[in-house]
Amino acid sequence: MATKPKKVIITCAVTGAIHTPSMSPYLPVTPEQIRDEALAAAEAGAAIVHLHARDPQNGKPTQDPDEFRKFLPHIKERSNVVINLTTGGAPTMGVEERLQPALQLKPEVASLNMGSMNFGLYEMLNRFKDFKYDWEQPYLAGSDDRIFRNTFKDIAYILESCSANQTRFEIECYDIGHLYTAAHFIDRGLIKPPFLIQSVFGLRGGIGNDVEDVMHMKRTADRLFGDDYFWSVLGAGRGQIPIATMSAAMGGHTRVGLEDSLWDGPGNLAKSNADQVRRIRTVIEALSLEVASPDDARAMLKLKGGQNVGF
């Protein structure tokens, strides 16, 4: 009997809080744009969409739950896709502000960063010079003296606050030490298996995007979490597709989207999130693997189901 192809979860991070509106005309900013991009990504093959919100007037990241309410019900109504909400928000925000969308809206999945870190965006000023909104340049420039705060107390607070909602977490690990922090919270009983470990490569302040970095993350996670976890990766910028390809070839899962990279090949701006989903889907299927559906992802990650969210 032929071996059934392994199913690979594609997550698409639609807008994020790293890139600013002036960097690409294709970056979704309004509720309608975020809705349409999420739906198109799902149609292209994303089982999970990871969502931030932005102020529709100027594209600035916001964690106001009312901004999320402008697009979440429409996505849920029109798609079976798993919705993953950020608790990271933006590095300029405090933990209480960042928590509110996940706390109030009770998604199936929420992201959670495993450590405080330097989060350098200032090098983008070497590429982008002209900005439409007055917040963009200081936001980028100020990141050379900004710490993205995620203390042990902050992490425990988010986990404990959302436990009654049965929200599972996309555990974001930007460096090796973050894997050990995740193991610490597993030992404390605050994170339950199966674990979704999202390794982040190539962001200034975190681990690099060399093949050896990817291998080191995977080996360490295997040792710490054994058979209790699903490993996914995201590569920042030009590393997006190469690192996603490595993960798929190594038995892992993948994340793409305009939050992580504005590009679709050298020098070409991605015109949509769906373009990036289609690109990695082509790679996955060329490896004789199968793209997971939303319900496949729910079964693998033991999610509570789209009918049990708060929107």
Side-chain angles (χ1 to χ4, degrees):
M1 182 181 294
T3 301
K4 189 173 182 181
K6 175 178 165 49
K7 293 183 178 180
V8 179
I9 297 169
I10 301 175
T11 295
C12 184
V14 169
T15 188
I18 290 175
H19 300 113
T20 70
S22 298
M23 294 180 182
S24 172
Y26 308 110
L27 185 72
V29 168
T30 68
E32 295 78 16
Q33 290 168 341
I34 294 169
R35 173 200 67 199
D36 291 348
E37 285 287 303
L39 290 168
E43 181 68 24
I48 301 174
V49 288
H50 170 67
L51 301 176
H52 290 238
R54 291 177 180 259
D55 183 329
Q57 300 304 313
N58 61 13
K60 190 173 184 178
T62 176
Q63 287 293 94
D64 182 350
D66 287 339
E67 293 299 330
F68 286 82
R69 290 186 178 99
K70 292 177 182 177
F71 53 78
L72 290 178
H74 301 289
I75 298 170
K76 178 186 171 186
E77 180 182 351
R78 294 167 55 180
S79 176
N80 187 38
V81 71
V82 175
I83 291 174
N84 170 349
L85 297 186
T86 179
T87 69
T92 51
M93 301 174 182
V95 66
E96 190 69 38
E97 179 182 3
R98 289 161 38 199
L99 171 64
Q100 292 312 307
L103 182 64
Q104 295 184 33
L105 301 171
K106 306 175 185 179
E108 292 184 80
V109 182
S111 66
L112 180 56
N113 191 307
M114 282 290 112
S116 299
M117 58 184 292
N118 294 329
F119 205 88
L121 307 178
Y122 56 90
E123 289 168 289
M124 292 183 183
L125 294 171
N126 297 330
R127 181 184 289 269
F128 302 101
K129 305 292 185 184
D130 299 318
F131 296 99
K132 183 177 179 182
Y133 301 108
D134 59 8
W135 68 270
E136 296 178 81
Q137 197 276 343
Y139 177 73
L140 299 171
S143 67
D144 67 351
D145 192 33
R146 183 180 301 140
I147 294 173
F148 185 21
R149 174 183 160 139
N150 295 280
T151 65
F152 293 111
K153 184 177 180 180
D154 292 339
I155 295 167
Y157 176 62
I158 291 173
L159 289 168
E160 289 164 348
S161 297
C162 293
S163 64
N165 296 344
Q166 296 180 292
T167 295
R168 284 199 174 274
F169 285 90
E170 172 197 23
I171 304 299
E172 293 196 307
C173 298
Y174 291 72
D175 220 330
I176 296 298
H178 293 182
L179 295 172
Y180 285 90
T181 297
H184 165 73
F185 283 104
I186 290 165
D187 290 343
R188 287 173 60 177
L190 292 178
I191 304 175
K192 309 290 186 184
F195 319 120
L196 175 58
I197 303 294
Q198 184 75 257
S199 293
V200 183
F201 299 93
L203 193 84
R204 184 66 68 208
I207 199 168
N209 58 12
D210 188 85
V211 173
E212 289 300 322
D213 296 319
V214 179
M215 295 294 295
H216 188 29
M217 271 274 198
K218 181 65 162 58
R219 284 192 296 263
T220 305
D222 284 347
R223 178 162 43 80
L224 290 174
F225 311 122
D227 295 329
D228 288 334
Y229 88 110
F230 292 87
W231 185 58
S232 182
V233 305
L234 72 91
R238 71 182 68 183
Q240 181 181 80
I241 298 300
I243 287 175
T245 301
M246 282 185 249
S247 177
M250 294 164 65
H253 304 271
T254 65
R255 179 173 128 174
V256 295
L258 295 181
E259 171 171 353
D260 305 329
S261 175
L262 295 176
W263 306 99
D264 187 23
N268 297 317
L269 287 171
K271 293 183 171 60
S272 72
N273 282 276
D275 284 348
Q276 295 181 342
V277 174
R278 282 187 284 267
R279 182 178 282 260
I280 195 57
R281 179 173 192 156
T282 299
V283 171
I284 290 166
E285 292 173 344
L287 292 170
S288 299
L289 302 171
E290 186 177 343
V291 172
S293 70
D295 284 338
D296 290 332
R298 288 185 173 96
M300 294 158 73
L301 301 174
K302 294 184 168 53
L303 303 182
K304 64 180 178 177
Q307 73 277 12
N308 297 315
V309 298
F311 52 87

